[in-house]
Amino acid sequence: MAEELTAPAVACEEDAPQLSVRDLSLRFGRGCPACQGAASELAGNVCPACGTVHAVRAVSLEVYPGEIVGIVGESGSGKSSLMRCVYFDEQATGGDVRALPFDGGARNLLELSPQRKRAVRNQVFGMVYQNPHLGLRMGFSSLSNIAEAMIASGERNVGAMRARGEGLLERVSIPLARATCPPRVFSGGMQQRVQIAKALSANPPILLLDEVTTGLDLSVQAAVLDLILDIRRSFNVSMLVVSHDLGVIRMLADRTLVMLSGRVVEQGLTDQILEDPQHPYTQKLVSSLL
Amino acid sequence: MQQRYNFAFFDEASKREIRRAVLKGVCIPGYQVPFASREMPIGRGWGTGGLQITLSLIGRDDVLKVIDQGADDSVNAVNIKKLVCDTTDVDVTDDTARATLIQSRHRIPEQPLTSKQILVLQVPTPEPLRTFEPSEAATRVLHAEADYTGAWLELFDQIVAYDTTVTGADHPVVVNGRYVMAPSPIPRFDNLKLDQAENLTLFGAGREKKIYAVPPHTSVRPLDFEDYPFVRERFEGVRCALCGAEGVFFDELEDEATGEVRYQCNDTAFCAARRAQQRAHGVAPDDAAPEGAPDVVPSTASDAASDGSAPDAEPGEAPGEREVR
């Protein structure tokens, strides 16, 4: 525990953020004058006048090199939607996302052409979904799953891809004898580990983890969390971690954002948030954990 | 001709619509053009795509040849020929060189086609990315963005499982450096015949309602990996039991009683022409010079004359290696 928390967020401040998100919004519906402003009052995240759903409302955040940023919030608070917008699974309504490793942060990723977005997905981001069915091709072998991003970025050497795939599977403790099995025949925990290996295949500088441990039993959860920290240590990857589980956030995240009804209501060092929550919602969240 | 029908079964508007799709396909090599596939008097999945192209293109002067799995006289080929004849009265032939329009399933004839000929292939599954991505809307986007990861991934998955690609037929190809295309279920053996071919090749998928094309002199490259290059089916040391041909695509026939295995040319017209020629020259198949397919064009009289004086095959060379271009 102590070791994770000593990861020096302050030292990272000197570097430019790997990922910066400005005023990201996602809404379903046209919107109306009553709900357009960032400060407008809604019933939850629904506009009482026009019924538009504001899933994500002007969220800004930065992820520095080697840093893990956590996002907590109840279900429906917009944390996964935020993640999906960053990974282009969902088309954001507005906002600005820049990634330093892609083009030095020169362009807004949300405005790139579909081909370039695909390149960003393949080369800059690694995504791990809560449900392995979303992130894996269940009918293809585990090695093929890991090779997919490499093939997409132009690799045409089977031997090289196989070697890299086997290395990654070893890393996530999948026995090599199972490397040619499709993830369909694996247990949930193994599928999640294959998904992590797949996310790492193209050496992405930024990992996006969406509820990675939800639904896994406690010992497997611990193993997956250990693996994530281990990956951060060895590859110095930046990560954005979404979870509703404060235990996971406490173990992983250097900094934490608390989301409620599509907005960030509180942010700061994870310790600070957990020990001295300011917003009533965060207070409720923390007290229900203890 | 049964006068109850318009020439070539279709009304003129239908033929025009299908030809329009064909033209678009020729303009964008390898691109699958959607078209309004017609109801046909044969079931979808039995060659309706190819048949619609044939009927829309055929004219009174055309000479038609129909092949099914290399054979001119299998049920499906015969029935398609009958339908076209009944509604057009065009000449039908088995002779590859004489035909101007060749409709085929599973094979490209052994004898190289010329710029005067059109090959029409029947396609069951035109979408090379279909097993990777079930949604048509999604595969169209993948084609538009030239993202063919799925086609490569499928080959990679086969190599991981079997240490070789196991595409018996329908090995995906890149056409003109742009579109990845399913070459219809022709064996890998025939894939390279599409590359820089003299003839126009048209692909029709009636059930899937797609038409696509490989125009003459277009580059067609099978997908492969650096360390797992594309290989054709190998028939080293195999000769046709009937005509003695080497270096062609063979059928393997096993005698169930004796367990004896024989090989026979898959292209029956090619084999029959060679045998006719051997009979004319009084040569038994076993004495025939081991000539490869491209060297022997057995069908016309002039070829037959030159054939006797053209034993230019190098015996030391393996037929498999010789044909890879």
Side-chain angles (χ1 to χ4, degrees):
Chain A
M1 242 325 253
E3 195 190 344
E4 284 82 68
L5 293 176
T6 51
V10 181
C12 291
E13 295 287 348
E14 294 162 14
D15 307 1
Q18 293 286 91
L19 174 71
S20 61
V21 176
R22 287 269 150 268
D23 295 329
L24 189 80
S25 308
L26 174 66
R27 77 169 184 256
F28 299 97
R30 287 235 182 108
C32 64
C35 65
Q36 291 290 18
S40 54
E41 279 309 310
L42 308 177
N45 59 3
V46 183
C47 170
C50 65
T52 296
V53 175
H54 294 259
V56 181
R57 300 178 68 192
V59 170
S60 301
L61 59 88
E62 263 115 36
V63 186
Y64 289 89
E67 188 188 28
I68 301 184
V69 172
I71 302 176
V72 284
E74 59 189 6
S75 32
S77 61
K79 51 194 190 320
S80 286
S81 296
L82 168 68
M83 190 78 106
R84 291 166 60 81
C85 287
V86 171
Y87 195 58
F88 315 123
D89 278 342
E90 197 91 59
Q91 174 101 43
T93 315
D96 189 303
V97 177
R98 283 161 202 269
L100 198 63
F102 177 59
D103 53 0
R107 271 173 300 176
N108 181 1
L109 302 186
L110 298 176
E111 287 164 5
L112 296 176
S113 68
Q115 287 99 320
R116 290 202 172 273
K117 279 185 180 170
R118 195 162 273 153
V120 171
R121 276 171 69 119
N122 284 329
Q123 289 156 30
V124 179
F125 293 134
M127 178 74 166
V128 182
Y129 295 91
Q130 173 181 357
N131 185 345
H133 284 260
L134 291 174
L136 294 176
R137 300 190 179 276
M138 288 295 170
F140 286 88
S141 72
S142 304
L143 274 179
S144 308
N145 269 290
I146 295 170
E148 187 177 342
M150 288 184 265
I151 292 175
S153 45
E155 174 69 72
R156 293 290 179 263
N157 190 299
V158 175
M161 287 189 280
R162 198 198 295 255
R164 168 117 182 104
E166 287 175 349
L168 284 167
L169 285 176
E170 209 158 24
R171 190 66 203 255
V172 298
S173 318
I174 304 275
L176 285 189
R178 306 299 299 276
T180 56
C181 295
R184 176 165 40 81
V185 303
F186 289 172
S187 70
M190 276 174 93
Q191 289 178 346
Q192 205 55 295
R193 281 180 281 149
V194 174
Q195 213 193 163
I196 292 172
K198 178 178 184 173
L200 288 172
S201 65
N203 264 329
I206 302 166
L207 267 186
L208 307 173
L209 309 177
D210 190 358
E211 307 268 14
V212 268
T213 56
T214 310
L216 301 179
D217 68 64
L218 287 177
S219 60
V220 178
Q221 263 191 35
V224 170
L225 294 179
D226 271 348
L227 172 66
I228 292 169
L229 288 172
D230 189 31
I231 287 164
R232 192 257 295 262
R233 263 197 299 277
S234 14
F235 301 109
N236 198 37
V237 188
S238 310
M239 299 189 200
L240 191 57
V241 179
V242 161
S243 183
H244 63 258
D245 183 346
L246 279 181
V248 169
I249 292 295
R250 182 159 66 180
M251 187 166 170
L252 291 182
D254 302 314
R255 282 189 302 126
T256 298
L257 291 81
V258 182
M259 282 186 77
L260 177 68
S261 300
R263 274 200 276 214
V264 176
V265 293
E266 185 165 0
Q267 55 179 309
L269 296 175
T270 306
D271 281 4
Q272 204 179 343
I273 298 270
L274 292 179
E275 299 302 324
D276 184 16
Q278 301 293 312
H279 191 275
Y281 170 69
T282 321
Q283 289 170 355
K284 200 174 108 194
L285 199 69
V286 171
S287 65
S288 49
L289 170 77
L290 298 174
Chain B
M1 193 196 322
Q2 297 174 17
Q3 291 298 335
R4 293 197 297 283
Y5 289 103
N6 190 28
F7 179 78
F9 186 72
F10 284 138
D11 58 289
E12 295 304 315
S14 293
K15 287 194 242 175
R16 200 159 52 233
E17 142 71 16
I18 294 165
R19 284 200 292 260
R20 199 179 285 135
V22 167
L23 267 180
K24 183 167 178 182
V26 171
C27 294
I28 319 174
Y31 170 73
Q32 300 167 48
V33 185
F35 82 112
S37 182
R38 263 61 183 170
E39 284 295 333
M40 300 297 293
I42 57 174
R44 284 194 170 153
W46 292 87
T48 53
L51 186 56
Q52 287 176 74
I53 294 180
T54 300
L55 290 173
S56 73
L57 296 181
I58 202 161
R60 291 185 197 281
D61 302 331
D62 271 315
V63 181
L64 178 72
K65 172 182 165 80
V66 181
I67 330 168
D68 180 3
Q69 295 269 25
D72 291 89
D73 43 12
S74 68
V75 176
N76 200 16
V78 169
N79 283 335
I80 287 175
K81 262 185 275 200
K82 269 190 194 157
L83 176 71
V84 179
C85 281
D86 282 352
T87 55
T88 60
D89 274 348
V90 298
D91 223 359
V92 182
T93 182
D94 288 356
D95 181 353
T96 304
R98 236 194 102 217
T100 56
L101 196 55
I102 303 174
Q103 179 173 339
S104 172
R105 167 174 173 261
H106 286 216
R107 281 308 310 279
I108 295 175
E110 298 293 352
Q111 179 176 343
L113 301 179
T114 68
S115 58
K116 305 278 180 214
Q117 295 174 304
I118 296 178
L119 176 66
V120 178
L121 287 167
Q122 305 165 197
V123 184
T125 319
E127 180 50 73
L129 299 170
R130 182 57 71 232
T131 45
F132 173 77
E133 172 55 68
S135 154
E136 170 73 15
T139 50
R140 283 195 198 192
V141 171
L142 293 176
H143 279 289
E145 295 174 4
D147 181 350
Y148 292 117
T149 308
W152 292 95
L153 190 63
E154 220 147 284
L155 297 180
F156 181 86
D157 202 47
Q158 293 169 3
I159 291 173
V160 164
Y162 307 108
D163 202 37
T164 176
T165 57
V166 289
T167 47
D170 222 0
H171 187 100
V173 293
V174 187
V175 181
N176 203 23
R178 174 61 178 82
Y179 284 96
V180 165
M181 178 188 94
S184 94
I186 57 173
R188 274 174 289 143
F189 191 87
D190 286 346
N191 267 13
L192 298 169
K193 292 181 187 167
L194 289 168
D195 184 39
Q196 301 296 341
E198 289 290 320
N199 66 300
L200 167 65
T201 309
L202 301 172
F203 301 80
R207 189 185 53 206
E208 304 293 325
K209 306 182 181 67
K210 295 285 174 61
I211 285 175
Y212 51 107
V214 174
H217 306 289
T218 302
S219 119
V220 176
R221 298 256 168 265
L223 299 193
D224 61 358
F225 290 95
E226 288 162 10
D227 44 350
Y228 283 82
F230 175 80
V231 282
R232 309 192 320 171
E233 290 85 348
R234 290 174 182 279
F235 298 104
E236 267 132 32
V238 173
R239 299 183 71 181
C240 174
L242 298 176
C243 74
E246 286 184 77
V248 296
F249 193 76
F250 288 105
D251 286 337
E252 189 185 78
L253 306 169
E254 190 179 334
D255 188 324
E256 283 182 15
T258 64
E260 186 200 358
V261 172
R262 313 186 284 130
Y263 291 89
Q264 223 169 282
C265 295
N266 173 264
D267 185 339
T268 54
F270 176 81
C271 194
R274 273 180 63 94
R275 276 179 289 152
Q277 202 173 80
Q278 285 159 4
R279 275 196 299 278
H281 288 257
V283 200
D286 287 343
D287 306 331
E291 286 153 321
D295 303 322
V296 185
V297 181
S299 43
T300 61
S302 62
D303 283 321
S306 68
D307 182 49
S309 60
D312 54 352
E314 295 99 309
E317 212 175 4
E321 292 165 1
R322 203 162 106 206
E323 286 198 18
V324 176
R325 276 171 275 171

